[in-house]
Amino acid sequence: MNAMLNSQPADAAPIAINGQRLWDSLMEMAKIGATPKGGVCRLALTDLDRQGRDLFVQWAREAGCSISVDQMGNVFARRAGKDDSLAPVVTGSHADSQPTGGKFDGIYGVLGGLEVIRSLNDHGIETERPIEVVIWTNEEGSRFAPAMVASGVFAGVFTLEYGLSRADVDGKTMGEELRRIGYAGDVPMGKPIHAAFELHIEQGPILEAEDVTIGVVTAAQGQRWYEVIFTGQESHAGPTPMPRRRDALLGAARVIELVNRIGHAHAPLACATVGMLQVHPNSRNVIPGQVFFTIDIRHPEDAVLAKMDAELREGIAKIAADTKLETTKLEQIFYYAPVPFDTACVDSVRAAAQRFGYSHRDIVSGAGHDACYLAGVAPTAMVFVPCVGGISHNEIEDATPEWIEAGANVLLHAMLGRSSR
Ligand code: GLV
Ligand code: MN
Ligand code: MN
């Protein structure tokens, strides 16, 4: 550990971040893409995403960081280390949001990292290793599927060509949109990382319900995402008798039921969701001829996730046959196995929580995070804080200033714990 910190007596109050400054930065950032219900809509690679990135870059430069942008538009703000040739300790998260997103999902991890750097500056602490704060492009997977695609390219899970060619519903690709907003960088993908930490709200109800301030994230559950197209036949809603119909939406409705049943069948840990549906031609007096929809299934055990996958495929085949539909597409577009985080990094998070006397518990992440891909290339762990009512991916997403401050304090000390040679 750093010389100054070592010179602190063991029982001295730990060096702390500035909670008010972090909160103010979060509220300032939340003005970019602010929604009437108090949330944020800052979809990946839109003009609003660019404004958010620009503000972060400005703040990071003011804090003395150098900025670099890689070929997937990931933004790295670097605070030099005493030995700047050493691999950095990295933190960060994402700045994009869901269409009806909140003020904390993602951006808390980015601005929490910036607050770590600002606090190191305040306290005159030089770390042996460089510290980097990253905005990972398009974590949400909302505008461009899949999620976490740019950290995935960084970690070698996807090729650069794959990442840049992901397209939104209008056919605009990530490559085009990165160029348009001025964040198509030229730094090659991937580099050595000494250790990585991601700070995030829990996005679920456990910590708040148990009145615990810090989630020490030991693992993240696995996920599979699918895209499905059912094709039937468009025909007139009036003259077409019920037995003759090939209603693609009826098939999709039965799959929605099936997905929900599979989730319940593997309770309490399984999750299963149909979140997106596009009906063609979407006219009230036309029997739907084609439906596109998505499926998201998750479980902390890979074997159970595989069983859910088998049940899903079998169920979809039966529904298609029963409803006389063609399964034009059934493609798993995204999969990662449950991710165990690095024991030493997890220990650093736990030790930091203990140092501040924060209540804490081990927890498994229900959501996907860029840390899940980084874990494949560097020792990685995450810090969770509660969110009000466990609600996220919702404009009412909220957290208290006390939780926000506590999480960043834990991040600071977890990073310092790994920032020596
Ligand atoms: C990312 O937000 C996810 O879907 O878990
Ligand atoms: Mn997130
Ligand atoms: Mn999210």
Side-chain angles (χ1 to χ4, degrees):
M1 189 173 295
N2 165 296
M4 274 187 77
L5 287 176
N6 277 345
S7 67
Q8 274 201 310
D11 55 358
I15 285 158
I17 61 97
N18 182 333
Q20 186 64 51
R21 179 173 56 196
L22 173 53
W23 185 264
D24 291 346
S25 298
L26 282 163
M27 295 308 119
E28 189 63 29
M29 184 65 87
K31 291 179 185 165
I32 301 174
T35 60
K37 286 191 195 159
V40 168
C41 176
R42 211 165 45 229
L43 295 179
L45 310 188
T46 55
D47 289 344
L48 291 168
D49 187 14
R50 176 180 50 73
Q51 285 174 38
R53 287 159 173 260
D54 288 351
L55 183 56
F56 169 76
V57 166
Q58 179 202 320
W59 283 342
R61 285 209 169 107
E62 285 165 8
C65 294
S66 56
I67 303 292
S68 61
V69 181
D70 73 16
Q71 293 162 300
M72 283 301 297
N74 299 315
V75 180
F76 297 78
R78 178 181 176 99
R79 183 179 191 266
K82 271 193 224 166
D83 183 348
D84 216 33
S85 68
L86 294 175
V89 177
V90 166
T91 192
S93 191
H94 57 102
D96 66 317
S97 81
Q98 292 288 333
T100 53
K103 295 193 281 290
F104 302 93
D105 176 5
I107 197 65
Y108 172 44
V110 173
L111 297 181
L114 177 64
E115 179 53 40
V116 164
I117 287 182
R118 287 169 164 172
S119 300
L120 292 173
N121 292 346
D122 291 349
H123 293 283
I125 294 172
E126 262 191 286
T127 53
E128 196 66 31
R129 292 179 177 276
I131 301 274
E132 294 191 9
V133 181
V134 190
I135 291 179
W136 299 105
T137 298
N138 182 46
E139 186 274 350
E140 291 289 7
S142 176
R143 180 177 176 200
F144 304 97
M148 297 133 58
V149 66
S151 53
V153 175
F154 180 91
V157 176
F158 307 119
T159 63
L160 178 61
E161 293 65 36
Y162 174 84
L164 292 176
S165 61
R166 293 309 86 207
D168 68 6
V169 288
D170 299 322
K172 290 187 181 143
T173 65
M174 286 188 65
E176 283 160 40
E177 288 294 271
L178 277 169
R179 282 195 295 280
R180 189 185 65 78
I181 68 165
Y183 276 88
D186 54 10
V187 174
M189 299 304 299
K191 64 176 172 184
I193 290 178
H194 179 65
F197 294 92
E198 183 169 349
L199 173 64
H200 210 285
I201 55 167
E202 179 201 340
Q203 307 185 276
I206 296 171
L207 297 177
E208 188 191 41
E210 295 185 7
D211 198 17
V212 167
T213 305
I214 297 295
V216 178
V217 188
T218 54
Q221 65 181 350
Q223 300 190 29
R224 291 176 187 253
W225 286 14
Y226 307 83
E227 290 184 351
V228 187
I229 298 175
F230 271 161
T231 306
Q233 187 170 48
E234 283 146 51
S235 61
H236 198 300
T240 314
M242 298 308 286
R244 293 180 71 101
R245 294 175 181 221
R246 295 174 60 221
D247 181 342
L249 186 55
L250 177 66
R254 290 190 185 171
V255 175
I256 294 170
E257 270 287 338
L258 167 75
V259 166
N260 187 263
R261 254 195 332 271
I262 292 172
H264 281 289
H266 297 279
L269 298 179
C271 295
T273 307
V274 173
M276 187 175 178
L277 192 73
Q278 288 169 340
V279 180
H280 179 80
N282 212 26
S283 174
R284 63 195 73 205
N285 50 353
V286 180
I287 296 163
Q290 192 164 75
V291 175
F292 166 91
F293 59 101
T294 61
I295 301 169
D296 170 327
I297 60 172
R298 307 187 186 201
H299 199 279
E301 286 171 50
D302 206 30
V304 180
L305 196 58
K307 194 158 185 301
M308 292 167 73
D309 170 81
E311 290 167 6
L312 187 65
R313 289 174 187 277
E314 192 187 321
I316 289 176
K318 181 165 184 336
I319 288 167
D322 290 351
T323 49
K324 296 176 283 187
L325 298 175
E326 198 180 305
T327 308
T328 309
K329 180 176 188 184
L330 169 52
E331 187 185 342
Q332 180 182 290
I333 60 146
F334 181 47
Y335 162 66
Y336 67 87
V339 180
F341 288 124
D342 176 74
T343 316
C345 286
V346 170
D347 287 349
S348 295
V349 171
R350 196 180 292 109
Q354 279 161 356
R355 187 130 191 243
F356 281 89
Y358 295 139
S359 54
H360 60 88
R361 60 159 279 168
D362 289 2
I363 192 165
V364 173
S365 175
H369 297 286
D370 296 302
C372 298
Y373 282 144
L374 291 188
V377 291
T380 299
M382 293 191 71
V383 184
F384 275 180
V385 298
C387 54
V388 174
I391 300 291
S392 181
H393 286 189
N394 187 319
E395 290 155 273
I396 64 165
E397 177 185 276
D398 203 3
T400 69
E402 292 73 27
W403 296 336
I404 290 298
E405 178 173 348
N409 274 330
V410 170
L411 178 68
L412 167 66
H413 283 267
M415 291 181 77
L416 281 173
R418 299 305 301 267
S419 64
S420 56
R421 186 166 277 277

